[in-house]
Amino acid sequence: MSAFLWGSATAAYQCEGAWNEDSKGQSNWDVFCHSEKNNINPTTGDIASDHYHRFEEDLDLMAAGGQNAYRFSIAWTRIIPNGTGVVNPEGIAHYNAVIDACLARDIEPVVTLYHYDLPESLFIAGGWENRQTSDAFCAYAKVCFNAFGDRVRTWFTVNEPNYDTLCCYGIGNYPPNVKDLSRRWRAMYHMLLASAKAVAAFHEGAYQGMIGLVSDSYAIEAHSDTPDYQEAKRLADLFYNRSVNDAAVLGQLPTELIDKLHSEGQILDYLLPGDQEILAAGKVDMLGINAYDRMLVKPCTTSQTSLSTNNTGTADSSNETNIAGWFSVDEDPTTQKNAWGMELYPKSIYTLLHQLNDHYPNLVFMITENGMGYRDQLVDGQIHDTYRVDFLKGFVNWTLKAREEGCDVRSYFVWSTMDLYSWINGYAKRYGLVYVDYNDNCRRIPKDSYYWYKDTIAAWNQKEGR
């Protein structure tokens, strides 16, 4: 197996700030966060972690912590402010500086082209429901390949087509804030087309390195092994995992998915002649996996789909997933949860990797995100986040066990490098290895988890003789 990447990850809108600097265009998140629709935790990413101005400091901390890779996303609106057309040289210059700063510290830049923030002009024109967005994305990707491809060797196209569109069109807490799963399937399909077109362009351009897609994938489990529970597991795997992963890895949508959507009476007029060739030509070199928890499922016994999520971390908000005709998400009362209801179950990543490896043998996997949100408290200038250390330690150990057993896993990235804007959750939900004091000019303070991660990487390097 290749050398292992130990790093951490961020996304542009969540950490950069500088939302209207250096000729940057507006994204759908800029507009949404400044609107009355942003009413759950009404705050913005205008400053966020101020990473745009402080990336050198953040990279110094990564290097001091032994990290040899940094996964970050490029803001489409910094490169092509209107989504299509004129390229912004100031945006190119900024990411050139970030990439060069990574390499100067022996940190490999791992670049994601799209992480939720769509240019507002494209959003107004229908966003990912509009097929033309996939062509605009491919054109944007080519600009990035040409500008940065001489130094970037690891690329990802789209981050979490499943979770992104589920929030946009299922839960309704991300823009455009609607609840219509038929629109979700359309938008997700165009994301997959966009990814395939960009992957094909990367390969046709003979750029060095590898390119993939980042999928939020889940170990699918159930309390019972009866036929109806087995069917719920099959459908949940189709809904969360195979709908994205088959298209990206195998170059085709699952026949079972198309049949299921047809059986629901959905109009699939967005599946056009020639699309199969596009997907087949855009198969990924590796699959990025954002792994946080499992999906424990059961048969859905209701006739109405209902989806909600806890974005406040309080008892008066809850997580609910009932997808009529598909499955419901179950609960294990014996496992620990965080304040937002996420199950803390590290073995899930081991089960997931083996499930994926069985379905896609000989595929390269990269753990592109893993982390836990918590209301960290600054006490006497320190953050003693033993709960995060325990969580991450479990996931690292189970990841390496799967790797030893034959799963070709080549990276582990902690989400996140530093505390950042956690989308609808705002700033109270902290994931970072480094604390950001938003009340003190975004001052950086490494947490106990930062030092644990440093020691873990050092121990790995010693074992591997590096």
Side-chain angles (χ1 to χ4, degrees):
M1 291 185 184
S2 300
F4 200 78
L5 297 181
W6 292 98
S8 56
T10 63
Y13 185 79
Q14 294 182 264
C15 72
E16 286 184 351
W19 74 282
N20 59 356
E21 292 185 32
D22 296 335
S23 304
K24 176 186 173 292
Q26 288 199 69
S27 74
N28 58 332
W29 276 90
D30 290 316
V31 174
F32 167 72
C33 284
H34 290 106
S35 77
E36 70 283 352
K37 290 183 179 180
N38 182 20
N39 56 16
I40 298 175
N41 293 295
T43 186
T44 75
D46 289 1
I47 299 173
S49 313
D50 199 28
H51 183 61
Y52 187 80
H53 300 113
R54 305 177 69 149
F55 65 87
E56 298 261 10
E57 176 186 358
D58 292 325
L59 286 166
D60 282 342
L61 282 167
M62 285 181 245
Q67 297 175 44
N68 64 1
Y70 175 39
R71 178 183 170 233
F72 62 94
S73 77
I74 290 176
W76 188 339
T77 48
R78 292 197 192 278
I79 303 299
I80 305 177
N82 290 320
T84 59
V86 177
V87 174
N88 175 25
E90 292 173 286
I92 298 289
H94 172 71
Y95 291 110
N96 270 329
V98 173
I99 291 164
D100 289 344
C102 286
L103 297 175
R105 293 163 175 80
D106 294 323
I107 293 173
E108 179 170 336
V110 175
V111 173
T112 304
L113 291 166
Y114 179 77
H115 196 131
Y116 298 1
D117 49 340
L118 187 68
E120 176 66 7
S121 55
L122 297 177
F123 181 78
I124 292 172
W128 288 109
E129 294 177 76
N130 185 340
R131 186 184 181 90
Q132 292 180 350
T133 301
S134 67
D135 293 321
F137 175 80
C138 186
Y140 153 65
K142 289 179 181 179
V143 171
C144 293
F145 296 153
N146 288 326
F148 314 124
D150 58 330
R151 287 153 295 153
V152 175
R153 297 290 181 266
T154 308
W155 295 88
F156 289 102
T157 54
V158 177
N159 182 78
E160 299 180 340
N162 166 69
Y163 187 74
D164 188 10
T165 56
L166 192 60
C167 289
C168 293
Y169 298 100
I171 298 167
N173 58 340
Y174 287 10
N177 309 100
V178 297
K179 294 193 174 191
D180 185 341
L181 287 181
S182 65
R183 292 175 64 180
R184 181 254 184 172
W185 290 116
R186 179 184 296 269
M188 192 170 83
Y189 180 70
H190 290 150
M191 280 187 177
L192 296 172
L193 272 186
S195 176
K197 290 174 181 178
V199 169
F202 182 85
H203 290 150
E204 289 165 5
Y207 299 96
Q208 295 186 38
M210 301 174 71
I211 188 166
L213 173 145
V214 174
S215 169
D216 57 298
S217 295
Y218 305 87
I220 308 296
E221 301 183 21
H223 282 308
S224 175
D225 200 32
T226 60
D228 55 342
Y229 273 80
Q230 285 291 332
E231 178 64 1
K233 286 175 60 178
R234 185 188 73 82
L235 291 171
D237 188 40
L238 192 63
F239 187 93
Y240 288 117
N241 296 334
R242 291 187 56 206
S243 59
V244 170
N245 299 342
D246 276 20
V249 177
L250 305 179
Q252 59 185 15
L253 285 181
T255 301
E256 300 98 307
L257 176 64
I258 296 172
D259 291 345
K260 177 67 173 171
L261 297 178
H262 273 307
S263 73
E264 295 180 336
Q266 294 205 30
I267 299 172
L268 307 182
D269 55 355
Y270 48 86
L271 303 180
L272 300 184
D275 283 0
Q276 179 54 56
E277 287 74 16
I278 294 173
L279 292 173
K283 290 187 281 189
V284 298
D285 301 322
M286 77 286 197
L287 186 65
I289 302 168
N290 289 355
Y292 289 90
D293 52 4
R294 63 177 171 170
M295 283 296 169
L296 189 67
V297 300
K298 61 184 179 181
C300 182
T301 57
T302 69
S303 59
Q304 295 294 320
T305 292
S306 56
L307 292 159
S308 64
T309 191
N310 186 335
N311 285 129
T312 62
T314 58
D316 60 356
S317 184
S318 63
N319 301 299
E320 182 183 33
T321 300
N322 298 297
I323 303 177
W326 288 76
F327 61 90
S328 293
V329 170
D330 208 350
E331 185 173 331
D332 185 343
T334 69
T335 57
Q336 186 180 0
K337 315 318 188 276
N338 72 357
W340 290 263
M342 186 184 84
E343 187 180 41
L344 311 183
Y345 189 65
K347 190 180 179 181
S348 62
I349 200 167
Y350 172 81
T351 304
L352 169 63
L353 283 167
H354 275 293
Q355 288 178 347
L356 290 172
N357 199 49
D358 289 343
H359 199 66
Y360 312 109
N362 304 314
L363 182 64
V364 173
F365 301 106
M366 297 182 71
I367 305 303
T368 38
E369 289 181 26
N370 173 239
M372 181 182 66
Y374 206 88
R375 286 192 179 88
D376 297 333
Q377 299 296 318
L378 184 63
V379 179
D380 296 327
Q382 297 179 311
I383 301 91
H384 301 299
D385 56 341
T386 54
Y387 39 84
R388 182 171 291 108
V389 170
D390 292 342
F391 178 88
L392 296 176
K393 185 185 298 182
F395 273 88
V396 165
N397 290 340
W398 283 111
T399 297
L400 295 179
K401 180 174 173 60
R403 189 176 191 269
E404 291 166 0
E405 294 175 355
C407 298
D408 190 358
V409 187
R410 299 192 187 179
S411 74
Y412 177 84
F413 287 86
V414 175
W415 184 266
S416 52
T417 304
M418 80 295 284
D419 291 336
L420 34 66
Y421 175 74
S422 187
W423 304 115
I424 299 303
N425 303 293
Y427 291 96
K429 190 178 187 182
R430 295 174 179 264
Y431 282 90
L433 294 169
V434 174
Y435 185 88
V436 175
D437 190 341
Y438 300 109
N439 297 316
D440 187 10
N441 194 34
C442 290
R443 181 167 61 104
R444 270 59 168 162
I445 305 170
K447 305 176 187 178
D448 284 359
S449 57
Y450 168 91
Y451 296 106
W452 164 82
Y453 196 42
K454 177 181 179 179
D455 291 343
T456 297
I457 296 169
W460 167 269
N461 289 336
Q462 183 176 22
K463 182 174 74 74
E464 296 293 303
R466 298 185 182 279

